[in-house]
Amino acid sequence: MALDASRTIHGSRGKILLDGEWQTNLTECTADVELDKKELNLLGDDWTRYKEGNKKGTGSMNGYKVTSDMIKRGFKRFEIITALEDPEAYGHERIRLKNCMADKIQLVNLKANELVEEETPFTFEGYELLDPIEAN
């Protein structure tokens, strides 16, 4: 069966809520979970085995600077809910990122004749898939 192109999800249909408030100035948001696997090299075994270790959540929010909210927030913890709501997709997806904390706060980013953009890298300590997208 061929891919129905209308079911692919357009990123412009995404929304980011930071502590419940829609961030209309954002142009990009990423979040990844990385697993720290421990290698096990055993006598008499030709294969390297792996033991699950800790997980590490990292991400970044990028967009246009509109307010000083991120500077005022400082390094206080916050929650992010991402939403993908493309009406042609099989459904919508929401993911909650728990216990987020900024890694860096951008104070100044000025360039002549350009809009001011803001980047906020962050870490998080868990996630929850609130609404999964599932093919019908």
Side-chain angles (χ1 to χ4, degrees):
M1 177 199 253
L3 170 70
D4 179 354
S6 69
R7 297 298 189 176
T8 59
I9 300 167
H10 200 287
S12 292
R13 301 294 187 155
K15 289 184 181 180
I16 306 299
L17 291 97
L18 197 147
D19 284 339
E21 187 175 327
W22 183 16
Q23 304 299 298
T24 59
N25 63 308
L26 293 181
T27 58
E28 182 179 358
C29 182
T30 64
D32 299 296
V33 176
E34 186 176 331
L35 179 63
D36 178 25
K37 294 188 279 188
K38 305 297 182 187
E39 282 191 11
L40 300 170
N41 295 303
L42 305 169
L43 297 172
D45 193 343
D46 292 347
W47 288 91
T48 299
R49 306 297 174 166
Y50 297 92
K51 173 78 174 164
E52 184 177 312
N54 290 337
K55 296 174 190 78
K56 180 179 181 181
T58 58
S60 180
M61 295 182 291
N62 303 305
Y64 298 107
K65 184 171 182 81
V66 178
T67 68
S68 299
D69 286 350
M70 290 309 291
I71 295 172
K72 290 185 336 189
R73 177 181 303 282
F75 294 101
K76 295 178 191 155
R77 293 185 184 273
F78 54 93
E79 177 180 281
I80 294 174
I81 293 181
T82 65
L84 282 173
E85 300 175 348
D86 188 330
E88 291 185 323
Y90 283 115
H92 65 277
E93 177 182 81
R94 290 187 317 135
I95 299 173
R96 177 178 163 223
L97 305 177
K98 303 175 184 180
N99 295 317
C100 302
M101 185 186 306
D103 293 337
K104 173 174 75 170
I105 298 170
Q106 184 173 295
L107 299 176
V108 179
N109 180 22
L110 302 175
K111 292 180 187 173
N113 202 33
E114 291 189 19
L115 296 173
V116 176
E117 295 185 18
E118 191 170 44
E119 177 183 4
T120 306
F122 61 89
T123 55
F124 59 95
E125 298 173 352
Y127 70 93
E128 180 180 359
L129 180 58
L130 300 172
D131 296 307
I133 295 175
E134 297 176 6
N136 296 334

